[in-house]
Amino acid sequence: MNKAEVVKLILKDRPTNTKLESATAFAPTNIALIKYWGKRDCAINLPVTDSLSIALANKGATTKISLIDQAEDEYWVNEQLMAADSAFSTRLNAFLNLFRFQRYHFKVETKINIPIAAGLASSACGFAAVVKALNELFAWQLSDAELSILSRMGSGSASRSIWQGFVHWQAGIREDGMDSHGIALKATWPQLCVGLAIFNSAKKSIGSTEAMNRTVATSKLYSAWPQQVSNELAAIKSAIANHDFNALGMISEHNALSMHATMLSAWPPILYAQPETLSMMNLIWQLRDQGLPIYFTQDAGPNLKLLFEEKASDEIRLQFPNVEIIRPFTC
Ligand code: PMV
């Protein structure tokens, strides 16, 4: 299976032309609490394991897609025209090629309110917003699961950016990946907060796909990862159901650190942490020893995302003056 075949399967019997000139959609970014790390099929982004995320409410991508009568696409990010030969344009162009019926060309205008490519899942919300906008533009009326599968053709974690709240991405077992999509959990947790402690907005040194593939191919620790994910997924679901914050925090932090341990044991080694990352981890552990319920998670970048509950937010602001606090269930 390749991406074009997956798109064909999902869009069979759906319109390939439209009377609309443009359509706009928003997709929230998501932070994995149980990480997706490793692909069982690289061609169509099928994961080795399930994963579970929390969406960041109004943080994400708002994307307008218009059909244009030009020889080339045009991509704008936060009102800046992207160079045609940039990595961003190359990746988006390859994705849009999957949907270029009747030789369309697209103008894509994205407003994204998180730093791009700093391990803050900008590609997740970016691809999900493109898929949602295309769904509007062509009036496909796809189900959320189908939108999730199409988003997965852009990046794996995008399959979780279709919904707000907690999302469980089931790895699935089918070769065509039709059972590999997100499922929204019903649970809410109004007191839960995510703090974005961004000290580094630079582009990451190594992309997540390359890092994953190298880890799977060379890390001896990776063989323990699938079983750990399976245990932690069950445990975090029960923490969510019971609003057991310490369990949620502990499982998330442990899962993130274990993922990074698989990367450190890859060869050549992969280390996303910077000196500030380690200082912040030490501060978090120290604050926790002093009784403050705060945990962190870390993705394919140096920045940490803090996990805490509303009642700790004054202290968190004091300790991390630059933190941006997101309340996934209340705004
Ligand atoms: O979706 P990708 O290919 O950008 O990979 C995401 C990988 C992590 O952010 C590290 C983990 C995750 O589940 O989001």
Side-chain angles (χ1 to χ4, degrees):
M1 266 280 158
N2 61 33
K3 288 179 183 172
E5 288 166 332
V6 171
V7 170
K8 216 168 154 191
L9 262 179
I10 299 263
L11 294 183
K12 70 172 175 345
D13 311 328
R14 306 284 167 154
T16 55
N17 51 28
T18 175
K19 291 204 173 71
L20 295 180
E21 279 169 20
S22 67
T24 303
F26 170 79
T29 197
N30 74 80
I31 303 294
L33 302 178
I34 301 296
K35 307 296 185 189
Y36 147 54
W37 199 246
K39 304 184 195 226
R40 73 180 156 87
D41 182 333
C42 296
I44 55 171
N45 291 334
L46 290 178
V48 173
T49 71
D50 292 17
S51 58
L52 185 140
S53 62
I54 177 89
L56 295 192
N58 57 5
K59 290 275 162 200
T62 304
T63 296
K64 178 178 177 191
I65 302 189
S66 321
L67 296 177
I68 52 171
D69 197 7
Q70 283 177 201
E72 302 288 337
D73 287 1
E74 250 181 53
Y75 307 140
W76 296 77
V77 178
N78 294 340
E79 282 161 12
Q80 269 199 314
L81 180 63
M82 297 285 108
D85 58 357
S86 62
F88 178 95
S89 296
T90 310
R91 194 164 173 205
L92 182 53
N93 188 66
F95 185 65
L96 287 171
N97 284 346
L98 297 167
F99 306 98
R100 221 175 279 287
F101 332 108
Q102 347 267 352
R103 307 168 77 93
Y104 287 132
H105 282 100
F106 301 104
K107 178 176 181 184
V108 179
E109 294 160 279
T110 290
K111 295 219 168 82
I112 188 154
N113 55 6
I114 46 163
I116 295 170
L120 276 159
S122 54
S123 68
C125 58
F127 285 116
V130 165
V131 167
K132 282 178 152 184
L134 289 171
N135 183 49
E136 294 297 319
L137 184 60
F138 292 103
W140 289 329
Q141 300 186 308
L142 296 176
S143 67
D144 285 348
E146 290 169 320
L147 294 175
S148 170
I149 292 172
L150 289 185
S151 303
R152 200 185 77 230
M153 300 304 110
S155 86
S157 53
S159 69
R160 300 183 307 238
S161 266
I162 300 299
W163 302 267
Q164 291 289 357
F166 293 109
V167 177
H168 175 182
W169 173 14
Q170 296 192 326
I173 49 168
R174 287 174 59 146
E175 251 175 58
D176 63 7
M178 290 299 143
D179 54 355
S180 184
H181 55 75
I183 293 174
L185 303 195
K186 289 209 174 68
T188 65
W189 193 330
Q191 289 77 32
L192 189 67
C193 299
V194 177
L196 301 182
I198 300 166
F199 48 78
N200 184 329
S201 302
K203 209 180 150 347
K204 52 194 169 191
S205 49
I206 163 170
S208 48
T209 295
E210 193 188 335
M212 268 182 221
N213 291 346
R214 192 189 298 170
T215 303
V216 174
T218 67
S219 164
K220 295 267 189 307
L221 298 189
Y222 189 78
S223 58
W225 175 251
Q227 188 57 53
Q228 178 176 343
V229 166
S230 159
N231 299 344
E232 290 182 337
L233 190 71
I236 206 165
K237 281 190 147 182
S238 108
I240 290 169
N242 299 320
H243 286 193
D244 181 344
F245 177 70
N246 277 312
L248 174 122
M250 190 193 74
I251 296 161
S252 304
E253 187 173 308
H254 185 242
N255 184 269
L257 287 170
S258 305
M259 174 183 76
H260 286 278
T262 67
M263 290 184 231
L264 268 180
S265 62
W267 197 262
I270 302 155
L271 177 64
Y272 284 111
Q274 294 287 318
E276 300 95 318
T277 318
L278 303 184
S279 311
M280 202 175 281
M281 283 182 186
N282 279 310
L283 176 58
I284 290 165
W285 290 328
Q286 193 186 325
L287 291 169
R288 208 154 72 215
D289 281 349
Q290 291 163 5
L292 187 69
I294 171 179
Y295 295 83
F296 67 83
T297 184
Q298 182 192 358
D299 290 290
N303 298 299
L304 298 184
K305 290 96 184 190
L306 311 180
L307 302 169
F308 53 94
E309 285 189 296
E310 185 63 49
K311 54 183 181 277
S313 56
D314 289 346
E315 185 62 25
I316 300 286
R317 257 194 221 95
L318 243 151
Q319 297 290 343
F320 305 91
N322 297 326
V323 76
E324 176 162 7
I325 299 183
I326 320 283
R327 293 171 180 79
F329 294 99
T330 57
C331 64

